[in-house]
Amino acid sequence: MATAAAGALGLLWGWLWSERFWMPQNVSWADFEGPGDGYGYPQARHILSVFPLAAGVFSVRLLFERFIAKPCALHVGIQDSGPYPSQQPNAILEKVFISITKYPDEKRLEGLSKQLDWDVRKIQCWFRHRRNQDKPPTLTKFCESMWRFTFYLCIFCYGIRFLWSSPWFWDTRQCWHSYPRQPLTSGLYYYYVMELAFYWSLMFSQFTDIKRKDFLIMFVHHLATIGLITFSYINNMVRVGTLVMCLHDASDFLLEAAKLANYAKYQRLCDTLFVIFSAVFMVTRLGIYPFWILNTTLFESWEMIGPYPSWWLFNGLLLILQVLHVIWSYLIARIAFKALIRGKVSKDDRSDVESSSEEEDVTTNTKGPCDSSSSNGANRVNGHMGGSYWAEE
């Protein structure tokens, strides 16, 4: 039994690292054992060094949020409000809140009113306060976004500086010249390792960060990103990989900057940054990516090295990524259009939709005791209303 299991594992391992899958014809793993230049050739074992580095990135993040991001948040007027006060306990309403709905409709509200002998408005207040107990402080969200903004901006600047002196940045056919016998340089190695370590740190921190509605989607996104970066490193498609990473980093820091402006209640700056982000996203993901990146991975590589099994998989993943770009672009365009028409960004449908921050739509103009925080005009900032927070809904 043990021998059969060992044989099955051996077959699986052999299939997983099959040269016929990973490499073009007449290329073997032995070709990567030579020293090459700089850091030699990419090796699968290099990936193991990413895990302690990811833990280090996560530790740096904790220090950054505490000693840099938090003071910045306090400086721009974001209060360290702490948790919301506890709501009057009620077993029946708590059961409805947890098991049925956090937003009871009119019919359910009337039924609860008769059951508890409470006024409907009082029950609405109870649910609103109960939702607010789970609402994360703006300070926490600001610190998270500031960390991501800082990393994305730094890694994008590093990527541009590195690629500016790289021949494949100006001529994408250089991505496939002498492939796969392309030795690593120190700059390329550090670029790849830092990107991979950052996304692994996001995988760790996603379980402790603010819970969002798109938790599962972003989990799959981070997993796919890690898979693509790892895959391209192992089969030495690192040159085109650097182009893909830098292209995606170009818009990410703008989105985080818009969130920071939103949390600080600089609504006009938030709107401007989000429109700029939308334009950069559209140009890079719907223009440069398909006509520059996919052109070289699909057509130039076919001409210079020809297809092989892992080539098909790599390009399949890049094409799936392009489909996601189209979907995200539609959602972002819809938000940007609303921002231009209404004069403010109303909601972020892409990636920062937070279930803990949803607020009840106001269906009546009559102010009650629960309306003081949302109906008193305190949300007027920079000369116009900023009451609809696109990154907090």
Side-chain angles (χ1 to χ4, degrees), residues 91-135:
I92 295 175
L93 296 181
E94 185 70 21
K95 183 177 180 181
V96 173
F97 182 87
I98 295 176
S99 305
I100 302 176
T101 178
K102 297 180 180 180
Y103 295 89
D105 55 24
E106 184 178 350
K107 183 178 180 180
R108 189 176 298 277
L109 286 171
E110 291 177 355
L112 291 170
S113 176
K114 293 177 182 178
Q115 184 178 359
L116 297 172
D117 195 23
W118 281 17
D119 183 77
V120 169
R121 190 62 185 169
K122 184 177 180 181
I123 297 175
Q124 288 178 327
C125 287
W126 190 96
F127 275 94
R128 183 180 296 126
H129 283 293
R130 180 62 181 84
R131 289 193 298 271
N132 283 340
Q133 289 181 29
D134 297 333
K135 183 178 179 180

Short mmCIF file of all heavy atoms in Angstrom, two decimals, residues 91-135:
data_model
loop_
_atom_site.label_atom_id
_atom_site.label_comp_id
_atom_site.label_asym_id
_atom_site.label_seq_id
_atom_site.Cartn_x
_atom_site.Cartn_y
_atom_site.Cartn_z
N ALA A 91 -33.33 40.34 22.43
CA ALA A 91 -33.10 39.00 21.88
C ALA A 91 -33.82 38.79 20.55
O ALA A 91 -33.28 38.18 19.62
CB ALA A 91 -33.52 37.94 22.90
N ILE A 92 -35.04 39.31 20.44
CA ILE A 92 -35.82 39.09 19.23
C ILE A 92 -35.20 39.84 18.05
O ILE A 92 -35.00 39.28 16.96
CB ILE A 92 -37.29 39.54 19.44
CG1 ILE A 92 -37.95 38.65 20.50
CG2 ILE A 92 -38.07 39.49 18.14
CD1 ILE A 92 -39.35 39.09 20.87
N LEU A 93 -34.87 41.11 18.25
CA LEU A 93 -34.27 41.88 17.18
C LEU A 93 -32.88 41.37 16.82
O LEU A 93 -32.48 41.37 15.65
CB LEU A 93 -34.19 43.36 17.58
CG LEU A 93 -35.53 44.07 17.80
CD1 LEU A 93 -35.30 45.53 18.17
CD2 LEU A 93 -36.42 43.96 16.57
N GLU A 94 -32.15 40.91 17.83
CA GLU A 94 -30.82 40.37 17.57
C GLU A 94 -30.90 39.12 16.70
O GLU A 94 -30.08 38.91 15.80
CB GLU A 94 -30.12 40.05 18.90
CG GLU A 94 -28.68 39.58 18.76
CD GLU A 94 -27.74 40.69 18.32
OE1 GLU A 94 -28.10 41.88 18.50
OE2 GLU A 94 -26.66 40.37 17.79
N LYS A 95 -31.92 38.29 16.97
CA LYS A 95 -32.10 37.07 16.18
C LYS A 95 -32.43 37.42 14.73
O LYS A 95 -31.92 36.81 13.79
CB LYS A 95 -33.20 36.22 16.78
CG LYS A 95 -33.42 34.89 16.06
CD LYS A 95 -34.49 34.06 16.75
CE LYS A 95 -34.69 32.72 16.02
NZ LYS A 95 -35.75 31.91 16.70
N VAL A 96 -33.30 38.42 14.54
CA VAL A 96 -33.63 38.85 13.18
C VAL A 96 -32.39 39.41 12.49
O VAL A 96 -32.12 39.12 11.32
CB VAL A 96 -34.75 39.92 13.22
CG1 VAL A 96 -34.98 40.51 11.83
CG2 VAL A 96 -36.04 39.31 13.75
N PHE A 97 -31.62 40.20 13.21
CA PHE A 97 -30.42 40.84 12.65
C PHE A 97 -29.40 39.81 12.19
O PHE A 97 -28.83 39.93 11.11
CB PHE A 97 -29.81 41.77 13.70
CG PHE A 97 -28.59 42.52 13.23
CD1 PHE A 97 -28.73 43.73 12.58
CD2 PHE A 97 -27.32 42.01 13.44
CE1 PHE A 97 -27.62 44.43 12.14
CE2 PHE A 97 -26.20 42.70 13.00
CZ PHE A 97 -26.35 43.92 12.35
N ILE A 98 -29.18 38.78 13.01
CA ILE A 98 -28.15 37.79 12.70
C ILE A 98 -28.63 36.75 11.71
O ILE A 98 -27.91 36.37 10.78
CB ILE A 98 -27.67 37.11 14.01
CG1 ILE A 98 -26.97 38.14 14.90
CG2 ILE A 98 -26.74 35.94 13.70
CD1 ILE A 98 -26.55 37.59 16.25
N SER A 99 -29.88 36.27 11.87
CA SER A 99 -30.34 35.12 11.11
C SER A 99 -31.13 35.47 9.86
O SER A 99 -31.17 34.66 8.92
CB SER A 99 -31.22 34.22 12.00
OG SER A 99 -30.54 33.85 13.17
N ILE A 100 -31.76 36.64 9.82
CA ILE A 100 -32.67 36.94 8.71
C ILE A 100 -32.17 38.10 7.86
O ILE A 100 -31.84 37.93 6.69
CB ILE A 100 -34.10 37.22 9.24
CG1 ILE A 100 -34.60 36.00 10.04
CG2 ILE A 100 -35.05 37.53 8.08
CD1 ILE A 100 -35.96 36.23 10.69
N THR A 101 -32.13 39.30 8.43
CA THR A 101 -31.73 40.46 7.64
C THR A 101 -31.25 41.59 8.54
O THR A 101 -31.74 41.74 9.67
CB THR A 101 -32.90 40.96 6.78
OG1 THR A 101 -32.49 42.12 6.05
CG2 THR A 101 -34.12 41.33 7.63
N LYS A 102 -30.31 42.35 8.02
CA LYS A 102 -29.86 43.55 8.72
C LYS A 102 -30.66 44.78 8.28
O LYS A 102 -30.53 45.84 8.88
CB LYS A 102 -28.37 43.79 8.44
CG LYS A 102 -27.46 42.69 8.96
CD LYS A 102 -26.00 42.99 8.64
CE LYS A 102 -25.10 41.87 9.16
NZ LYS A 102 -23.67 42.13 8.86
N TYR A 103 -31.45 44.60 7.23
CA TYR A 103 -32.25 45.69 6.69
C TYR A 103 -33.71 45.23 6.55
O TYR A 103 -34.14 44.88 5.45
CB TYR A 103 -31.71 46.13 5.33
CG TYR A 103 -30.33 46.73 5.40
CD1 TYR A 103 -29.19 45.92 5.30
CD2 TYR A 103 -30.15 48.10 5.58
CE1 TYR A 103 -27.92 46.45 5.38
CE2 TYR A 103 -28.88 48.64 5.65
CZ TYR A 103 -27.77 47.82 5.55
OH TYR A 103 -26.51 48.36 5.64
N PRO A 104 -34.47 45.19 7.64
CA PRO A 104 -35.86 44.71 7.56
C PRO A 104 -36.71 45.65 6.71
O PRO A 104 -36.57 46.88 6.77
CB PRO A 104 -36.31 44.72 9.03
CG PRO A 104 -35.42 45.71 9.70
CD PRO A 104 -34.10 45.63 8.99
N ASP A 105 -37.60 45.05 5.90
CA ASP A 105 -38.49 45.86 5.07
C ASP A 105 -39.67 46.36 5.90
O ASP A 105 -39.80 46.07 7.10
CB ASP A 105 -38.98 45.05 3.87
CG ASP A 105 -39.65 43.73 4.27
OD1 ASP A 105 -40.14 43.63 5.43
OD2 ASP A 105 -39.67 42.81 3.45
N GLU A 106 -40.54 47.12 5.26
CA GLU A 106 -41.65 47.76 5.97
C GLU A 106 -42.58 46.73 6.61
O GLU A 106 -43.03 46.91 7.76
CB GLU A 106 -42.42 48.64 5.00
CG GLU A 106 -43.54 49.45 5.65
CD GLU A 106 -44.24 50.34 4.66
OE1 GLU A 106 -43.75 50.50 3.52
OE2 GLU A 106 -45.29 50.91 5.02
N LYS A 107 -42.85 45.64 5.90
CA LYS A 107 -43.75 44.62 6.42
C LYS A 107 -43.17 43.98 7.67
O LYS A 107 -43.87 43.77 8.68
CB LYS A 107 -44.00 43.56 5.35
CG LYS A 107 -44.99 42.48 5.76
CD LYS A 107 -45.22 41.50 4.62
CE LYS A 107 -46.20 40.40 5.04
NZ LYS A 107 -46.44 39.43 3.93
N ARG A 108 -41.87 43.67 7.65
CA ARG A 108 -41.24 43.04 8.81
C ARG A 108 -41.16 44.02 9.98
O ARG A 108 -41.33 43.65 11.14
CB ARG A 108 -39.85 42.53 8.45
CG ARG A 108 -39.21 41.66 9.54
CD ARG A 108 -37.88 41.10 9.09
NE ARG A 108 -38.02 40.24 7.93
CZ ARG A 108 -38.38 38.96 7.99
NH1 ARG A 108 -38.66 38.40 9.17
NH2 ARG A 108 -38.48 38.24 6.89
N LEU A 109 -40.91 45.29 9.67
CA LEU A 109 -40.86 46.30 10.72
C LEU A 109 -42.21 46.42 11.44
O LEU A 109 -42.26 46.53 12.67
CB LEU A 109 -40.47 47.65 10.13
CG LEU A 109 -39.01 47.83 9.73
CD1 LEU A 109 -38.82 49.14 8.96
CD2 LEU A 109 -38.09 47.80 10.95
N GLU A 110 -43.29 46.38 10.67
CA GLU A 110 -44.62 46.46 11.28
C GLU A 110 -44.89 45.24 12.15
O GLU A 110 -45.47 45.35 13.24
CB GLU A 110 -45.67 46.59 10.20
CG GLU A 110 -45.63 47.92 9.46
CD GLU A 110 -46.63 48.00 8.33
OE1 GLU A 110 -47.30 46.96 8.06
OE2 GLU A 110 -46.76 49.07 7.71
N GLY A 111 -44.46 44.05 11.69
CA GLY A 111 -44.65 42.85 12.49
C GLY A 111 -43.87 42.89 13.79
O GLY A 111 -44.38 42.52 14.85
N LEU A 112 -42.62 43.36 13.72
CA LEU A 112 -41.81 43.49 14.92
C LEU A 112 -42.38 44.54 15.86
O LEU A 112 -42.31 44.40 17.09
CB LEU A 112 -40.37 43.85 14.54
CG LEU A 112 -39.56 42.75 13.83
CD1 LEU A 112 -38.24 43.31 13.29
CD2 LEU A 112 -39.28 41.59 14.78
N SER A 113 -42.95 45.59 15.29
CA SER A 113 -43.55 46.66 16.11
C SER A 113 -44.70 46.11 16.94
O SER A 113 -44.84 46.42 18.14
CB SER A 113 -44.02 47.80 15.21
OG SER A 113 -44.67 48.79 15.97
N LYS A 114 -45.54 45.29 16.32
CA LYS A 114 -46.67 44.69 17.05
C LYS A 114 -46.18 43.67 18.08
O LYS A 114 -46.71 43.57 19.19
CB LYS A 114 -47.61 44.01 16.06
CG LYS A 114 -48.34 44.98 15.13
CD LYS A 114 -49.20 44.24 14.13
CE LYS A 114 -49.90 45.22 13.17
NZ LYS A 114 -50.72 44.51 12.16
N GLN A 115 -45.16 42.90 17.71
CA GLN A 115 -44.65 41.86 18.60
C GLN A 115 -43.99 42.45 19.85
O GLN A 115 -44.15 41.93 20.96
CB GLN A 115 -43.65 40.98 17.85
CG GLN A 115 -43.13 39.79 18.65
CD GLN A 115 -42.18 38.93 17.84
OE1 GLN A 115 -41.92 39.20 16.66
NE2 GLN A 115 -41.67 37.87 18.45
N LEU A 116 -43.26 43.57 19.67
CA LEU A 116 -42.52 44.15 20.79
C LEU A 116 -43.23 45.33 21.43
O LEU A 116 -42.78 45.83 22.48
CB LEU A 116 -41.14 44.63 20.30
CG LEU A 116 -40.19 43.55 19.77
CD1 LEU A 116 -38.96 44.18 19.15
CD2 LEU A 116 -39.78 42.59 20.89
N ASP A 117 -44.31 45.78 20.77
CA ASP A 117 -45.00 46.98 21.22
C ASP A 117 -44.05 48.18 21.22
O ASP A 117 -44.03 48.98 22.15
CB ASP A 117 -45.60 46.77 22.63
CG ASP A 117 -46.63 47.85 22.96
OD1 ASP A 117 -47.18 48.44 22.02
OD2 ASP A 117 -46.85 48.11 24.16
N TRP A 118 -43.24 48.24 20.16
CA TRP A 118 -42.32 49.34 19.94
C TRP A 118 -42.79 50.14 18.73
O TRP A 118 -43.41 49.61 17.81
CB TRP A 118 -40.90 48.85 19.65
CG TRP A 118 -40.12 48.42 20.86
CD1 TRP A 118 -40.61 48.11 22.09
CD2 TRP A 118 -38.70 48.23 20.92
NE1 TRP A 118 -39.59 47.73 22.93
CE2 TRP A 118 -38.40 47.79 22.24
CE3 TRP A 118 -37.67 48.36 20.01
CZ2 TRP A 118 -37.11 47.51 22.65
CZ3 TRP A 118 -36.37 48.07 20.41
CH2 TRP A 118 -36.10 47.65 21.73
N ASP A 119 -42.43 51.41 18.70
CA ASP A 119 -42.69 52.23 17.54
C ASP A 119 -41.76 51.79 16.40
O ASP A 119 -40.62 51.38 16.63
CB ASP A 119 -42.44 53.71 17.87
CG ASP A 119 -42.76 54.61 16.71
OD1 ASP A 119 -43.95 54.85 16.46
OD2 ASP A 119 -41.80 55.05 16.04
N VAL A 120 -42.26 51.87 15.16
CA VAL A 120 -41.46 51.45 14.01
C VAL A 120 -40.16 52.24 13.94
O VAL A 120 -39.09 51.70 13.64
CB VAL A 120 -42.28 51.62 12.71
CG1 VAL A 120 -41.37 51.43 11.48
CG2 VAL A 120 -43.41 50.62 12.66
N ARG A 121 -40.24 53.53 14.24
CA ARG A 121 -39.05 54.36 14.18
C ARG A 121 -38.00 53.92 15.19
O ARG A 121 -36.79 53.95 14.92
CB ARG A 121 -39.45 55.82 14.46
CG ARG A 121 -38.36 56.83 14.19
CD ARG A 121 -37.96 56.81 12.73
NE ARG A 121 -36.83 57.69 12.48
CZ ARG A 121 -36.15 57.70 11.35
NH1 ARG A 121 -36.48 56.87 10.39
NH2 ARG A 121 -35.16 58.54 11.19
N LYS A 122 -38.45 53.47 16.35
CA LYS A 122 -37.52 52.99 17.36
C LYS A 122 -36.82 51.72 16.89
O LYS A 122 -35.62 51.53 17.14
CB LYS A 122 -38.28 52.73 18.67
CG LYS A 122 -37.39 52.31 19.82
CD LYS A 122 -38.19 52.14 21.10
CE LYS A 122 -37.29 51.70 22.26
NZ LYS A 122 -38.07 51.51 23.51
N ILE A 123 -37.56 50.86 16.20
CA ILE A 123 -36.96 49.63 15.68
C ILE A 123 -35.94 49.96 14.58
O ILE A 123 -34.87 49.35 14.51
CB ILE A 123 -38.04 48.68 15.15
CG1 ILE A 123 -38.97 48.25 16.30
CG2 ILE A 123 -37.42 47.45 14.50
CD1 ILE A 123 -40.14 47.42 15.86
N GLN A 124 -36.27 50.93 13.73
CA GLN A 124 -35.31 51.36 12.70
C GLN A 124 -34.03 51.89 13.34
O GLN A 124 -32.92 51.59 12.88
CB GLN A 124 -35.95 52.44 11.82
CG GLN A 124 -37.02 51.93 10.89
CD GLN A 124 -37.65 53.04 10.08
OE1 GLN A 124 -37.78 54.17 10.57
NE2 GLN A 124 -38.05 52.74 8.87
N CYS A 125 -34.21 52.65 14.41
CA CYS A 125 -33.04 53.17 15.13
C CYS A 125 -32.21 52.02 15.70
O CYS A 125 -30.97 52.06 15.66
CB CYS A 125 -33.50 54.07 16.28
SG CYS A 125 -34.11 55.68 15.75
N TRP A 126 -32.86 51.01 16.23
CA TRP A 126 -32.15 49.88 16.82
C TRP A 126 -31.29 49.19 15.76
O TRP A 126 -30.11 48.89 16.00
CB TRP A 126 -33.14 48.89 17.42
CG TRP A 126 -32.48 47.82 18.25
CD1 TRP A 126 -32.31 47.80 19.59
CD2 TRP A 126 -31.88 46.59 17.74
NE1 TRP A 126 -31.65 46.66 19.97
CE2 TRP A 126 -31.36 45.90 18.86
CE3 TRP A 126 -31.73 46.04 16.49
CZ2 TRP A 126 -30.72 44.68 18.74
CZ3 TRP A 126 -31.07 44.83 16.37
CH2 TRP A 126 -30.57 44.15 17.48
N PHE A 127 -31.86 48.94 14.60
CA PHE A 127 -31.11 48.27 13.53
C PHE A 127 -29.96 49.15 13.03
O PHE A 127 -28.87 48.63 12.74
CB PHE A 127 -32.04 47.90 12.38
CG PHE A 127 -32.75 46.59 12.57
CD1 PHE A 127 -34.01 46.53 13.14
CD2 PHE A 127 -32.14 45.40 12.20
CE1 PHE A 127 -34.65 45.33 13.34
CE2 PHE A 127 -32.78 44.17 12.38
CZ PHE A 127 -34.04 44.14 12.96
N ARG A 128 -30.20 50.46 12.94
CA ARG A 128 -29.12 51.33 12.48
C ARG A 128 -27.96 51.33 13.46
O ARG A 128 -26.79 51.21 13.09
CB ARG A 128 -29.65 52.76 12.28
CG ARG A 128 -28.58 53.70 11.73
CD ARG A 128 -29.12 55.10 11.54
NE ARG A 128 -30.17 55.13 10.55
CZ ARG A 128 -31.40 55.63 10.75
NH1 ARG A 128 -31.71 56.13 11.93
NH2 ARG A 128 -32.29 55.63 9.79
N HIS A 129 -28.26 51.44 14.74
CA HIS A 129 -27.21 51.42 15.75
C HIS A 129 -26.52 50.07 15.82
O HIS A 129 -25.31 49.99 16.04
CB HIS A 129 -27.78 51.80 17.12
CG HIS A 129 -28.04 53.25 17.30
ND1 HIS A 129 -27.03 54.19 17.34
CD2 HIS A 129 -29.20 53.95 17.45
CE1 HIS A 129 -27.54 55.39 17.51
NE2 HIS A 129 -28.86 55.28 17.57
N ARG A 130 -27.30 49.01 15.61
CA ARG A 130 -26.71 47.67 15.65
C ARG A 130 -25.73 47.48 14.49
O ARG A 130 -24.66 46.87 14.66
CB ARG A 130 -27.82 46.62 15.60
CG ARG A 130 -27.31 45.17 15.64
CD ARG A 130 -26.56 44.89 16.92
NE ARG A 130 -26.06 43.53 16.95
CZ ARG A 130 -24.92 43.14 16.38
NH1 ARG A 130 -24.15 44.03 15.75
NH2 ARG A 130 -24.53 41.88 16.44
N ARG A 131 -26.08 48.00 13.33
CA ARG A 131 -25.15 47.92 12.19
C ARG A 131 -23.88 48.73 12.47
O ARG A 131 -22.78 48.33 12.10
CB ARG A 131 -25.82 48.42 10.90
CG ARG A 131 -26.88 47.48 10.35
CD ARG A 131 -27.27 47.89 8.93
NE ARG A 131 -27.86 49.21 8.87
CZ ARG A 131 -29.16 49.46 9.01
NH1 ARG A 131 -30.01 48.46 9.24
NH2 ARG A 131 -29.62 50.69 8.92
N ASN A 132 -24.06 49.86 13.12
CA ASN A 132 -22.91 50.71 13.41
C ASN A 132 -21.93 50.08 14.40
O ASN A 132 -20.75 50.43 14.42
CB ASN A 132 -23.38 52.06 13.95
CG ASN A 132 -23.90 52.97 12.86
OD1 ASN A 132 -23.60 52.77 11.69
ND2 ASN A 132 -24.70 53.95 13.23
N GLN A 133 -22.42 49.14 15.21
CA GLN A 133 -21.51 48.45 16.13
C GLN A 133 -20.46 47.64 15.38
O GLN A 133 -19.35 47.44 15.86
CB GLN A 133 -22.30 47.53 17.06
CG GLN A 133 -23.14 48.26 18.10
CD GLN A 133 -23.88 47.29 19.01
OE1 GLN A 133 -23.43 46.17 19.24
NE2 GLN A 133 -25.04 47.71 19.50
N ASP A 134 -20.82 47.16 14.18
CA ASP A 134 -19.89 46.39 13.36
C ASP A 134 -19.10 47.26 12.39
O ASP A 134 -18.28 46.76 11.64
CB ASP A 134 -20.64 45.32 12.56
CG ASP A 134 -21.33 44.30 13.47
OD1 ASP A 134 -20.83 44.10 14.60
OD2 ASP A 134 -22.34 43.73 13.06
N LYS A 135 -19.38 48.53 12.40
CA LYS A 135 -18.75 49.44 11.45
C LYS A 135 -17.32 49.76 11.89
O LYS A 135 -17.11 50.26 12.98
CB LYS A 135 -19.56 50.72 11.34
CG LYS A 135 -19.04 51.71 10.32
CD LYS A 135 -19.95 52.92 10.26
CE LYS A 135 -19.44 53.95 9.26
NZ LYS A 135 -20.32 55.14 9.19
#
